[in-house]
Amino acid sequence: MVFRVGQTIRIPFTVKSAAGQLVWVFRGLPSGIKGNSNEGVIEGKAPEAGYFNFEVECADKEGKSGQAFITINVQPAATLTSKYLFYSSH
């Protein structure tokens, strides 16, 4: 997943065949990104560019659990420039 510095990041996670409410744990999230342990969502804005690895784990009411290791790529903020100068004599 690729994002830009300052861009809002929102990633919802889902699970198939879970029993009841899930509890989510997020480990190693980059600065500026927070995890919601009830909804299984991470969101925020990364303040710097880089590759960030973090872990997502969840468990259901029967104690079944799973985990995933995720990498997000945060690129520098885009800057638009033009080499053309527009001139009007009006």
Side-chain angles (χ1 to χ4, degrees):
M1 292 176 252
V2 180
F3 300 94
R4 296 268 181 205
V5 170
Q7 175 185 1
T8 298
I9 295 171
R10 186 176 196 284
I11 304 171
F13 294 91
T14 60
V15 174
K16 292 182 181 181
S17 302
Q21 179 72 27
L22 295 171
V23 176
W24 297 85
V25 176
F26 302 94
R27 294 181 187 94
L29 290 173
S31 173
I33 308 295
K34 304 289 182 205
N36 183 315
S37 63
N38 293 317
E39 295 180 17
V41 174
I42 64 166
E43 53 193 331
K45 294 182 181 184
E48 61 186 7
Y51 287 89
F52 300 97
N53 302 304
F54 60 93
E55 179 184 1
V56 179
E57 185 176 355
C58 70
D60 69 10
K61 70 178 185 176
E62 294 178 353
K64 296 179 200 167
S65 65
Q67 70 185 100
F69 296 91
I70 309 291
T71 300
I72 59 173
N73 176 354
V74 179
Q75 294 291 308
T79 303
L80 299 176
T81 60
S82 175
K83 65 179 182 176
Y84 300 102
L85 177 63
F86 294 98
Y87 176 77
S88 174
S89 61
H90 298 281

